[in-house]
Amino acid sequence: MSDFDGAAMSRFVSTFADRLHERREELTQLDSAVGDADHGINMDRGFSAARAKLAELGEADLGTMAKTVGMTLISTVGGASGPLYGTFFLRLSTSLGERDAASTGELGAALRAALDGVQQRGKAIADDKTMVDALLPAVEAFDAASGDGIGPALAAAAQAAAAGRERITPLVARKGRASYLGERAMGHPDPGATSTTILFESLRDAVAAD
Ligand code: ADP
Ligand code: MG
């Protein structure tokens, strides 16, 4: 398919919620090494609530769907990840607006707006060892491959997110709780970069499943 529509948005949120639930212990394990052992619980709780709210919402435009997810995350998830993932979906919402379907270019612009929002909110830049290090390369890779269509662009984005997560594992963290650990964070994967990788894999697979 060439467009990203409401059915794709539902499949995306639902697939992401399923995978976060399956992998909640792994994510919490990662956060127990560098933080406070709640990332898996936070993400599982937030996205299962968001999926339920989307089901209640029924048919709606893409902006309303993304806004519902963002508001639910902000109200159900504490810590750093609730406001950051909440901002991600609220910015997607503003960018997608009242469209029932987005072209590859429109989805790329929305993902770019979401990245900008996360960076404005959390003030993290590249190499601070956060979710931004998966999100930023994913958005760049999507843009670079968008001429090939939505499927290849999302495949490239998912691959870039995973590579970004791997790339920062040896680094010291400069934002979030992991920054308190100094050199002891070196060698531990970042929990948020891991969940962002799962997000892009879910988006890729939700679109490919159409
Ligand atoms: P908390 O750190 O409040 O317990 P979580 O454990 O749910 O929240 O999320 C931790 C993740 O949030 C980190 O692994 C990191 O990727 C991300 N994170 C933390 N602070 C920031 C920030 N300022 N900007 C971007 N991402 C951040
Ligand atoms: Mg935590």
Side-chain angles (χ1 to χ4, degrees):
M1 84 177 184
S2 57
D3 280 351
F4 181 77
D5 60 10
M9 179 71 93
S10 286
R11 280 198 304 276
F12 161 43
V13 174
S14 184
T15 304
F16 191 32
D18 281 342
R19 291 183 187 180
L20 289 168
H21 185 70
E22 283 160 16
R23 295 176 67 176
R24 68 193 182 284
E25 274 161 30
E26 171 196 341
L27 291 170
T28 288
Q29 201 72 36
L30 294 176
D31 196 30
S32 76
V34 297
D36 56 355
D38 64 356
H39 191 60
I41 299 157
N42 283 342
M43 296 296 287
D44 181 30
R45 184 196 318 116
F47 279 88
S48 79
R51 175 182 24 205
K53 284 276 183 204
L54 269 193
E56 270 172 39
L57 177 69
E59 289 242 329
D61 60 59
L62 290 172
T64 304
M65 291 178 81
K67 186 173 175 185
T68 300
V69 174
M71 301 289 282
T72 306
L73 295 177
I74 287 169
S75 62
T76 58
V77 186
S81 57
L84 290 167
Y85 277 99
T87 299
F88 179 93
F89 280 91
L90 291 183
R91 291 298 183 95
L92 276 187
S93 164
T94 310
S95 185
L96 293 168
E98 293 178 1
R99 289 182 185 85
D100 289 323
S103 67
T104 306
E106 287 165 345
L107 181 61
L111 289 169
R112 171 75 61 183
L115 163 67
D116 290 347
V118 168
Q119 290 200 272
Q120 280 161 20
R121 177 97 203 192
K123 310 276 181 265
I125 57 169
D127 293 351
D128 280 350
K129 196 174 181 179
T130 70
M131 61 186 283
V132 168
D133 289 302
L135 180 51
L136 195 153
V139 170
E140 298 282 328
F142 185 98
D143 282 349
S146 67
D148 300 333
I150 195 165
L154 285 173
Q159 201 168 25
R165 173 205 183 261
E166 294 299 320
R167 192 184 62 76
I168 58 166
T169 295
L171 304 184
V172 166
R174 293 192 297 228
K175 281 281 184 295
R177 288 179 196 278
S179 66
Y180 310 153
L181 288 185
E183 293 190 354
R184 281 181 293 141
M186 291 167 77
H188 293 288
D190 179 62
T194 307
S195 56
T196 294
T197 300
I198 301 171
L199 181 149
F200 279 97
E201 290 168 352
S202 303
L203 185 53
R204 174 198 64 198
D205 296 342
V207 168
D210 183 54

